[in-house]
Amino acid sequence: MSRLSQKFQEKNTTIIWLFLIIALATVLRFYHLDLNPSSLSWDEASIGYNAYSITRTLKDEHGRFLPYDYFAAFGDYKPPVSIYLTALSIKLFGFSTWAIRFPSAFLGVLTVLLTFFLCEELRRHFNVKTLTSNFSLLASFVLAISPWHTLLSRAEFEANIATFLIVLGLLLFLKGLKKGWYLLFAMTSFAAAIYTFNSARLFLPLFAIGLAVFTWKDLWQKKKFVVLSLILGFIVLLPLLPHLLSPLGRLRFQEVNIFTDASVVEKSNARIAADNNVWWSKIINNRRIGYSLLFLERYFDHFNTDYLFFTGDINPKFSTRTNGQFFLIEVIFLICGTYFLWKKEKKLTAFLFFWLLIGLIPASTARETPHALRTEISLPTWQLISSAGLYYLYSLFHGRGKKIFAGFLAVILFWEFTLYLHNYYVHYPKEYSQDWEYGYKLAAEKTMSYKDKYDTIWVSEKYGRPYIFFLTYQKYDPAKFQTEAKVTIDSFGFYHVEAFDKYVFGSLGKAKLSGKTLLIDAPDEIPASAHKIEDLNFLSGEKALEIAEL
């Protein structure tokens, strides 16, 4: 066989394997997409209804015309890209759970595909000699079956869309080092990520600085396009700047970040006072040191072995809680990948760890750590390192040893993967339907049959923000909602929908009820004077809500 024919055959084989990997990724992200998770989360419902409102009225739920900087939503001021992508999906497929989740699932599949091409570009740019296209295929495969990535792709998470845009932006950036005009598209993709997810707003400036350091020689050769890209980025991001610099733009960060934790200041002051306010105590007990140590503690939480390999994120929305963010066998691949990459391909290793390590910074400023959603922007670096470990380990064997090693790994990985799928499709929906606000979904659907019989329907807010589920699952007319909703804004900037149509939300004692009233409340909290009608249960069988009439 000639060398040309061999290369052609290898290319065809690579294409076939890549097609199979993408097919697998598609099945894992789309199978029963509308049924599992069992209900839209309130953020998904908010994204979905705002998108629906855009398709019907060109306004968000609060009546703001085609927002370009933020959607007020609950007062969490959601970035716009996810909502507009969902609006497009709803326009194409209709208003449904499947359509709301489609953008995240679809772009999750594309991220798997782009990972292959990104690996190929990284190999070329860093002149990697010890890894072939088989490594790129492995990286796509490992991401395709990743519990971390599959789970986050199956719900409308802004982080998952931002991850796609960052991977796309990096791929275009690397291509731009040869053909400068690609840099303009790379900048557009990075800017879109900033319009997509809050963590990207801290991550991407740091990432851009790192990219400039790693590739400054190549960038200098394309300085004309670099300047044009910077101008383009400034123009695209300029409309967002007033919001980012405003009190509203800082609200979400102030709500979740560790630097507003007063206990750090109190502890610092108490220690200084105990040392009689001596100068050296003011240095070692300085609150800035306290916040720095707290940040480092949160940062290293993301390397917790329980989180990575055993139980995963404590929030069931981001983990099945029956396995880690990675399969257990990947601990071997990650360790070996780190060792062999550093030994054989130092430049590539330095870049991957730079990306991974700064990808953890945004989440480490928050109070809840480790946090799989806020660190998804560090993907697929973990998978690239894991795949490199598997690739190098396999290369250590020869002859029959390769087949034995491959078979051994295949059995273990298949077992872990099958166990994950079993837990996800059989146990996860039942055990964690309450975490996906399944009770409010049932209530919204059930009250459709009761609505005409009552003058008022009161709903408890004990489990969060019920109004958005009634709007979404009942496909309530956005134009009507915008004119009739009773909305208040508290001192922190959060929006509270107190009533619309026949629905009233909030405290039962303060609610203004009139006529024949239907009550929807938490178990055992329905007033004794009310007549109980029926129970609404979570998929586990546990009682979620009670319906009664007053």
Side-chain angles (χ1 to χ4, degrees):
M1 183 182 294
S2 68
R3 187 174 180 183
L4 183 62
S5 298
Q6 185 178 357
K7 283 189 175 182
F8 181 76
Q9 185 175 354
E10 289 175 355
K11 185 176 181 180
N12 283 346
T13 302
T14 298
I15 292 173
I16 292 170
W17 278 113
L18 183 59
F19 174 80
L20 292 174
I21 290 168
I22 299 307
L24 176 61
T26 302
V27 171
L28 293 175
R29 285 154 183 78
F30 277 96
Y31 179 69
H32 280 183
L33 184 63
D34 55 337
L35 301 177
N36 192 20
S38 54
S39 168
L40 295 168
S41 68
W42 56 48
D43 279 323
E44 285 184 287
S46 179
I47 289 171
Y49 190 74
N50 275 279
Y52 180 57
S53 183
I54 288 292
T55 65
R56 296 290 297 272
T57 68
L58 298 182
K59 298 176 182 178
D60 73 353
E61 66 173 287
H62 301 297
R64 190 166 178 243
F65 181 75
L66 291 178
Y68 57 85
D69 47 2
Y70 65 83
F71 281 73
F74 305 130
D76 51 352
Y77 304 95
K78 298 183 185 300
V81 166
S82 178
I83 293 175
Y84 282 111
L85 287 175
T86 305
L88 176 61
S89 176
I90 289 171
K91 202 70 176 175
L92 292 173
F93 306 114
F95 189 27
S96 65
T97 296
W98 192 91
I100 291 171
R101 289 175 172 166
F102 174 81
S104 181
F106 178 67
L107 295 180
V109 173
L110 288 187
T111 304
V112 174
L113 177 63
L114 290 184
T115 295
F116 172 82
F117 294 107
L118 176 61
C119 288
E120 293 294 276
E121 285 297 324
L122 288 170
R123 287 175 53 234
R124 293 189 189 99
H125 177 74
F126 290 105
N127 195 27
V128 174
K129 302 294 186 183
T130 61
L131 297 170
T132 68
S133 291
N134 288 336
F135 157 70
S136 304
L137 286 172
L138 274 175
S140 289
F141 172 73
V142 172
L143 185 64
I145 65 171
S146 162
W148 191 347
H149 193 254
T150 54
L151 202 73
L152 296 189
S153 295
R154 291 181 57 86
E156 183 61 359
F157 287 127
E158 297 157 325
N160 197 55
I161 296 172
T163 298
F164 163 78
L165 291 168
I166 290 168
V167 172
L168 174 62
L170 177 57
L171 175 61
L172 293 169
F173 176 85
L174 293 173
K175 285 184 173 293
L177 299 178
K178 291 183 178 180
K179 297 180 180 180
W181 55 274
Y182 273 104
L183 294 175
L184 299 173
F185 293 103
M187 178 60 74
T188 303
S189 188
F190 287 145
I194 290 176
Y195 276 94
T196 302
F197 187 49
N198 288 322
S199 291
R201 296 171 178 177
L202 176 57
F203 167 79
L204 277 169
L206 299 174
F207 192 53
I209 293 171
L211 285 179
V213 172
F214 277 100
T215 63
W216 69 271
K217 290 182 180 179
D218 296 296
L219 287 177
W220 183 252
Q221 299 297 320
K222 306 293 182 184
K223 50 184 175 292
K224 173 185 173 182
F225 289 101
V226 171
V227 172
L228 289 174
S229 299
L230 291 174
I231 293 172
L232 175 63
F234 177 76
I235 293 172
V236 173
L237 294 175
L238 186 60
L240 185 62
L241 290 179
H243 170 64
L244 293 180
L245 298 175
S246 71
L248 293 180
R250 298 192 298 270
L251 179 64
R252 178 62 175 162
F253 179 72
Q254 291 172 348
E255 179 190 7
V256 302
N257 83 89
I258 59 175
F259 305 112
T260 54
D261 185 352
S263 65
V264 175
V265 178
E266 293 169 359
K267 183 178 180 180
S268 173
N269 291 339
R271 288 189 171 186
I272 291 172
D275 291 331
N276 297 317
N277 293 311
V278 295
W279 65 269
W280 53 264
S281 184
K282 294 179 180 179
I283 295 175
I284 64 174
N285 292 309
N286 189 287
R287 67 179 184 275
R288 294 170 185 82
I289 294 177
Y291 282 124
S292 297
L293 293 174
L294 186 59
F295 169 80
L296 290 174
E297 178 186 333
R298 297 288 190 271
Y299 188 88
F300 285 104
D301 277 348
H302 293 97
F303 296 99
N304 181 287
T305 53
D306 281 343
Y307 164 73
L308 292 177
F309 303 110
F310 294 99
T311 58
D313 196 299
I314 195 171
N315 188 335
K317 285 191 177 76
F318 313 141
S319 166
T320 63
R321 303 293 294 139
T322 54
N323 57 270
Q325 299 306 123
F326 303 96
F327 295 116
L328 182 57
I329 194 173
E330 287 187 84
V331 68
I332 299 172
F333 303 155
L334 286 166
I335 292 171
C336 292
T338 300
Y339 172 76
F340 285 114
L341 275 174
W342 182 249
K343 184 177 179 181
K344 297 174 181 288
E345 304 291 349
K346 286 185 170 55
K347 290 183 179 180
L348 175 61
T349 310
F351 176 74
L352 291 178
F353 273 91
F354 161 75
W355 181 357
L356 188 157
L357 294 175
I358 66 165
L360 305 180
I361 290 176
S364 304
T365 64
R367 298 175 186 180
E368 297 176 0
T369 53
H371 202 290
L373 188 68
R374 294 179 185 141
T375 55
E376 193 193 352
I377 52 179
S378 66
L379 270 56
T381 57
W382 301 84
Q383 285 76 22
L384 267 63
I385 296 167
S386 178
S387 300
L390 175 55
Y391 182 92
Y392 286 126
L393 276 176
Y394 182 74
S395 67
L396 295 177
F397 293 86
H398 301 282
R400 190 178 178 186
K402 281 185 179 293
K403 294 181 179 180
I404 296 173
F405 177 71
F408 174 73
L409 289 182
V411 169
I412 295 177
L413 188 57
F414 180 77
W415 169 254
E416 288 199 63
F417 180 60
T418 302
L419 190 61
Y420 162 68
L421 291 181
H422 173 76
N423 284 322
Y424 182 71
Y425 284 103
V426 177
H427 301 292
Y428 180 78
K430 295 178 182 178
E431 293 176 359
Y432 296 109
S433 63
Q434 66 270 30
D435 293 278
W436 285 93
E437 291 85 45
Y438 184 73
Y440 282 144
K441 172 190 176 181
L442 287 180
E445 293 174 339
K446 180 64 68 173
T447 51
M448 292 291 287
S449 60
Y450 289 119
K451 189 174 181 181
D452 293 337
K453 302 175 184 178
Y454 295 90
D455 301 299
T456 305
I457 300 174
W458 174 84
V459 185
S460 168
E461 289 186 320
K462 182 170 183 177
Y463 299 122
R465 302 172 173 93
Y467 87 91
I468 198 64
F469 294 94
F470 286 82
L471 291 175
T472 301
Y473 282 107
Q474 296 184 5
K475 301 181 182 180
Y476 197 81
D477 183 0
K480 189 178 179 184
F481 174 74
Q482 291 163 18
T483 59
E484 69 185 16
K486 183 181 178 182
V487 182
T488 59
I489 305 175
D490 64 24
S491 58
F492 297 102
F494 290 104
Y495 285 63
H496 301 274
V497 174
E498 298 180 353
F500 73 89
D501 194 25
K502 293 183 178 182
Y503 295 99
V504 178
F505 308 92
S507 169
L508 183 58
K510 298 179 181 179
K512 295 180 180 180
L513 307 178
S514 60
K516 192 176 181 182
T517 301
L518 188 73
L519 304 179
I520 302 175
D521 206 347
D524 303 321
E525 295 191 14
I526 294 288
S529 58
H531 170 66
K532 182 177 173 182
I533 298 176
E534 69 173 300
D535 294 331
L536 301 178
N537 296 330
F538 294 119
L539 291 175
S540 63
E542 182 183 351
K543 190 184 296 184
L545 295 165
E546 293 179 347
I547 300 179
E549 66 178 15
L550 190 62

